[in-house]
């Protein structure tokens, strides 16, 4: 099966040689841009605006960590002008694309970002999200310099919004009662470093009795009042811990993917981050 898939990749690579990316742009007068995951898609959409056609490789509501590339995805990418991916091993399949489609411009959105946390969720830090947006802006200008003022204007608008978001988190979290952020998904490493919090990932496997016991002891010994789970995942595990410890349960969204329902209701990176801010502030101040 793997051999068949790689044969498809080779065929796609051959097809892509006959597709000139500049012709694709001329046909629609817009850059054809593909993003690997939702936050990258949302940032590119905000910067590119009406000057680009932007597509998200991973479907709404899907789990990006489990995503597997298809031959249809490869065929679509072979006709693109730009493929933007997060990097830091978030997309295990990105190297396959780069090795197969040579005449496509690639952007690793996390370029120039320090990753001491070994955590690919850079966008959960507004400051690092700002770097990602700037990298996207620069890549669009490189491909479409005649619209540089447009891309710069959009970037400046959202860079200011990210600065405001960062200030909101700092103002709300500087005197927080408990600095331990207990989560089921350790996606908040960059976020916690930014705001002097301590990320504690609880056991994700309910059958692991030792890990469960350690989690329960930590909660009891550190006066934890709230634990957080991903709002699109099952709360069964945290409900069990809450029953044992008496803590409250709240949801946090790592913004790796948004459901169709969220997107259709107008939610985006900024609105979800505001909801996260409210949940964290309330949860850590109990």
């Amino acid at each position: 099966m793997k051999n068949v898939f790689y044969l498809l990749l080779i065929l796609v690579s051959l097809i892509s040689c006959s597709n000139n990316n500049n012709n694709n742009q001329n046909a629609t007068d817009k850059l054809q841009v593909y993003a690997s995951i939702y936050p990258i898609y949302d940032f590119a959409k905000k910067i590119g605006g009406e000057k680009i056609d932007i597509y998200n490789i991973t479907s709404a509501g899907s789990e990006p960590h489990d995503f597997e590339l298809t031959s249809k995805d490869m065929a679509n990418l072979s006709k693109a002008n730009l493929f933007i991916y997060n990097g830091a091993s978030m997309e295990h399949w990105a190297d396959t694309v780069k090795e197969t489609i040579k005449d496509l411009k690639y952007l690793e959105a996390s370029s120039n970002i320090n990753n001491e946390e070994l955590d690919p969720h850079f966008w959960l830090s507004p400051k690092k999200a700002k770097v990602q947006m700037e990298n996207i802006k620069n890549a669009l200008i490189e491909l479409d310099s005649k619209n540089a003022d447009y891309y710069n204007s959009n970037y400046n608008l959202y860079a200011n919004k990210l600065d405001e978001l960062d200030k909101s988190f700092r103002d709300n979290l500087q005197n927080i009662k408990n600095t331990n952020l207990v989560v089921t998904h350790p996606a908040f490493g960059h976020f916690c470093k930014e705001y002097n919090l301590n990320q504690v990932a609880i056991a994700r496997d309910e059958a692991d009795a030792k890990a469960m016991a350690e989690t329960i002891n930590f909660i009891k010994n550190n006066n934890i009042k709230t634990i957080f789970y991903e709002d699109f995942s099952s709360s069964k595990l945290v409900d069990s811990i809450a029953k044992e410890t008496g803590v409250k349960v709240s949801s946090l969204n790592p913004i790796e993917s948004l459901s169709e329902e969220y997107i259709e209701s107008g939610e985006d990176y900024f609105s979800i981050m505001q909801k996260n801010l409210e949940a964290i502030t309330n949860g850590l101040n109990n």
Side-chain angles (χ1 to χ4, degrees):
M1 192 69 180
K2 181 181 289 187
N3 291 336
V4 173
F5 179 69
Y6 280 110
L7 178 60
L8 286 171
L9 298 187
I10 293 170
L11 291 173
V12 169
S13 180
L14 293 173
I15 292 170
S16 71
C17 291
S18 66
N19 290 324
N20 185 289
N21 287 335
N22 291 328
N23 289 338
N24 292 334
Q25 184 182 356
N26 292 335
T28 64
D29 202 30
K30 293 184 179 183
L31 289 175
Q32 303 299 295
V33 181
Y34 280 77
S36 61
I37 55 175
Y38 175 78
I40 303 303
Y41 163 85
D42 191 40
F43 293 168
K45 183 179 180 181
K46 285 174 165 53
I47 303 300
E50 63 184 19
K51 303 300 182 183
I52 70 171
D53 288 327
I54 177 71
Y55 306 93
N56 187 4
I57 290 285
T58 53
S59 59
S62 64
E63 170 51 71
H65 293 286
D66 299 332
F67 176 77
E68 295 294 340
L69 202 66
T70 68
S71 56
K72 181 180 179 180
D73 295 325
M74 291 296 290
N76 287 333
L77 285 166
S78 73
K79 296 177 282 188
N81 299 111
L82 173 64
F83 173 50
I84 310 171
Y85 63 104
N86 181 73
S89 300
M90 183 73 189
E91 305 91 345
H92 64 88
W93 44 270
D95 286 343
T96 299
V97 180
K98 293 170 71 176
E99 291 167 3
T100 306
I101 307 176
K102 303 295 185 181
D103 58 343
L104 171 60
K105 180 173 176 58
Y106 296 91
L107 172 65
E108 183 175 349
S110 61
S111 296
N112 305 319
I113 297 179
N114 184 291
N115 192 21
E116 291 179 354
E117 289 71 32
L118 301 179
D119 178 355
H121 305 82
F122 303 104
W123 59 89
L124 292 172
S125 157
K127 281 192 171 182
K128 290 175 180 176
K130 187 175 176 180
V131 175
Q132 290 188 303
M133 275 200 181
E134 185 173 17
N135 288 339
I136 292 169
K137 179 260 295 182
N138 291 339
L140 292 176
I141 289 174
E142 185 178 338
L143 284 172
D144 185 23
S145 59
K146 69 180 184 296
N147 286 311
D149 289 345
Y150 178 85
Y151 299 132
N152 275 314
S153 177
N154 284 348
Y155 167 74
N156 290 334
L157 171 66
Y158 290 106
N160 287 336
K161 288 189 174 184
L162 285 168
D163 288 342
E164 293 170 2
L165 182 64
D166 174 59
K167 186 177 185 303
S168 293
F169 275 104
R170 291 187 189 283
D171 289 347
N172 281 275
L173 298 178
Q174 62 180 346
N175 295 314
I176 210 78
K177 286 183 179 180
N178 197 317
T179 58
N180 291 303
L181 185 69
V182 182
V183 295
T184 55
H185 184 187
F188 293 84
H190 295 285
F191 173 87
C192 285
K193 183 175 182 180
E194 201 72 66
Y195 303 113
N196 298 314
L197 301 178
N198 176 39
Q199 176 179 244
V200 180
I202 68 177
R204 301 191 75 176
D205 184 355
E206 197 168 9
D208 189 338
K210 183 175 182 292
M212 282 282 289
E214 290 174 352
T215 297
I216 290 169
N217 286 336
F218 181 88
I219 289 171
K220 291 180 177 179
N221 293 337
N222 290 275
N223 197 31
I224 304 299
K225 302 297 184 181
T226 305
I227 55 178
F228 300 88
Y229 72 103
E230 293 170 278
D231 64 355
F232 53 82
S233 66
S234 170
S235 64
K236 184 178 180 181
L237 172 61
V238 291
D239 287 342
S240 297
I241 295 174
K243 184 177 180 180
E244 179 72 21
T245 61
V247 300
K248 294 181 180 179
V249 174
S250 185
S251 67
L252 281 182
N253 193 327
I255 323 182
E256 294 176 342
S257 177
L258 288 193
S259 67
E260 287 285 0
E261 182 182 0
Y262 271 34
I263 293 171
E264 289 174 2
S265 66
E267 301 283 7
D268 70 348
Y269 170 84
F270 288 97
S271 66
I272 298 298
M273 284 294 281
Q274 287 290 349
K275 290 181 177 180
N276 282 347
L277 171 58
E278 182 178 350
I280 291 171
T281 302
N282 291 337
L284 299 187
N285 264 329
N286 282 327

